[in-house]
Structure formats: C-alpha cells, structure tokens
Amino acid sequence: RARFTVAACLNEDAGHDDAQEVFYVVARQLRRHRATQFVAVPRALAPPGTVCPDVWLLHDEVPEPIVFGYSSVASRLEDEAKNTDEDSSNKNEDKNKNKDKKEKDKDKNKKTPIQKGTKPHRDADSISSYVKSGCARALTTWVRTRAVPLYDEITSDNAATYLESALPIVWTVIDSTSPASSSKTVATVEDAMRRAAREHLGSLTFVRLDRAAHPEQARDLGVAEGPVPAMVVSDRLKYVCPAAGAQLT
C-alpha cells in the first residue's frame, strides 16, 4: 500500500513564519488523510534544488520528490491582492466621479463640493492573511490530488481517498469470474495504468473495479455487462470505453 510524506523546508531563522503557519494548518486539516504524514525538515535535509520555504511530496510509487512551489504561489497571491486593490480603487473613483457629475447636473445653482473617492487598500497584515489563506487552500488541494495510490483496486475502505481528491477517475473494469480477466491480462492492464497514472498524477486518478465483487458500482458505471477489461472515465459525466481496456491486452 502506498505511503506519502509531505515535507516542508522551514528554517526558523529564515523568516518563514507565514509558511510555517500555513503548513501546520494544512497538516491539522489533513491529519486523517490516509497514509500521509507531515514533517518539517531543515534545509540540509531538503532535496537538491529546493528553495526554502518549499513543500514536497515523497510518494512511495514515484521515484522523484514532487515539489509544491510555495514561494511562487505566495508571490502570485500577493500580486493578486495588490492588483485587486488597484481595480477596486479605480472602480470606486469612477463611481464617485459619476455620482458627482449627476449631483452637479441635478442642481446647477448649488455649489456642491466634489467628494473624491478614497483609495481603498490592504495593509500588510491584510495582504499577509490573504496570501496565507490562499496558500493553505492551494496546498490542501495539491496534497489531496497527489497523495493517492497510482493504481489500486477501489473498495469501501479507500473510496473516500479518491472522492476527496475531486479529480476525474479512470476506471479499468475486470470480472474475476471471466476467463477474459486472467492474471496475465490484469497484470498487463495494471502496468499500463501505472505508467499513465504517473504521467497524470495530480490531474487524473486511476482505479480498478472487479464487477463480480461490486455489481452495483459496475451497473452505475454502465459496465455491468459486456467485454472486459473495459474502461470508464467519470467526472460529472461518465464516458464508457469498453474497447479501450481490451486494446491494452
């Protein structure tokens, strides 16, 4: 069974208080996430090329660390916060100008002072809060979509892991009672699916379903009958590709 470690390079003397706070918030939120542990490590133990503060995932089935670029995400969110302030300021000023013009036209005999718009802005604390909450959401989604097995049989025990990822699921459907689902065929399909899952980690999840053991689920997917192995891609809709699985063998 796959195991996952989410590690963060958080040197206490490097001014990474915000990143450390975000990391621990996410660790608490995902403390029950299946087979995932969270650790903070010093720079000396970080993978080569890591820029602190940074976060990476060690996936048992993936040879290289998968890096979440914390600094780049935080920088993008900070720019987003500042640009939002500018847009809000411009809209507010335009709104006040239009209001002033209407007031002037309405009562030309009175000298109505023009009320200039006050440019709203976020202070440093507000920007920091915006960046931290955005980084926490991004990191939570990042972990949930990557700390999943590359390819596994879906059961009642692990179904929640795939549902929490909120990613489209690629199902390969076999039938343990059918000669078409021989051990050789299942092994061939598994090898192909693992290679595809490694390439699409974070955007798709890949699972195997034995329709003999889970007939109701197979019926929901539209593959209760027909040739096996079959494939189904489910997101909000389901796309049944019965021939695709057979072509793998």
Side-chain angles (χ1 to χ4, degrees):
R1 186 179 294 276
R3 293 291 184 271
F4 319 100
T5 299
V6 181
C9 177
L10 300 169
N11 292 340
E12 294 181 358
D13 59 348
H16 298 157
D17 292 345
D18 286 357
Q20 181 170 307
E21 182 181 341
V22 167
F23 183 72
Y24 289 136
V25 165
V26 174
R28 285 194 296 271
Q29 288 178 344
L30 299 179
R31 63 186 180 277
R32 293 191 179 91
H33 191 75
R34 182 176 297 274
T36 304
Q37 62 176 343
F38 290 77
V39 297
V41 301
R43 176 69 185 86
L45 298 180
T50 300
V51 178
C52 293
D54 227 339
V55 180
W56 63 96
L57 172 69
L58 301 177
H59 192 302
D60 275 6
E61 301 174 289
V62 179
E64 298 295 329
I66 307 165
V67 178
F68 174 85
Y70 184 92
S71 297
S72 60
V73 173
S75 178
R76 175 179 57 78
L77 288 166
E78 185 174 351
D79 290 343
E80 184 178 293
K82 292 176 180 178
N83 290 336
T84 299
D85 289 338
E86 281 188 21
D87 292 343
S88 298
S89 299
N90 293 334
K91 288 179 181 179
N92 193 55
E93 288 178 356
D94 290 342
K95 182 178 179 180
N96 279 282
K97 285 179 181 178
N98 290 334
K99 181 179 178 182
D100 292 337
K101 185 176 183 304
K102 288 180 180 178
E103 289 293 334
K104 277 181 161 186
D105 293 341
K106 183 177 179 180
D107 194 354
K108 292 183 180 180
N109 295 326
K110 292 183 180 180
K111 294 184 178 180
T112 305
I114 298 176
Q115 302 294 326
K116 293 185 178 179
T118 302
K119 183 177 180 178
H121 66 278
R122 287 190 171 113
D123 56 24
D125 288 341
S126 179
I127 290 177
S128 175
S129 178
Y130 180 87
V131 171
K132 285 189 291 186
S133 62
C135 284
R137 288 193 300 272
L139 181 56
T140 298
T141 299
W142 184 83
V143 172
R144 280 179 169 162
T145 55
R146 288 163 178 79
V148 294
L150 289 183
Y151 182 71
D152 200 1
E153 181 171 5
I154 192 164
T155 66
S156 57
D157 291 334
N158 63 10
T161 299
Y162 296 101
L163 294 177
E164 283 178 3
S165 74
L167 292 176
I169 300 176
V170 180
W171 306 72
T172 51
V173 182
I174 64 168
D175 186 335
S176 57
T177 64
S178 169
S181 293
S182 66
S183 58
K184 181 180 178 180
T185 296
V186 171
T188 301
V189 171
E190 180 170 345
D191 180 64
M193 290 299 100
R194 284 187 178 279
R195 283 187 275 112
R198 198 173 287 115
E199 182 178 348
H200 296 285
L201 185 63
S203 57
L204 295 170
T205 53
F206 291 75
V207 300
R208 182 178 75 249
L209 176 74
D210 182 358
R211 72 182 181 191
H214 305 281
E216 292 184 1
Q217 182 67 64
R219 186 165 54 251
D220 289 343
L221 291 172
V223 287
E225 298 178 351
V228 287
M231 289 183 65
V232 179
V233 180
S234 65
D235 192 358
R236 283 182 285 269
L237 299 174
K238 300 182 182 70
Y239 304 91
V240 180
C241 324
Q247 289 173 359
L248 293 173
T249 62

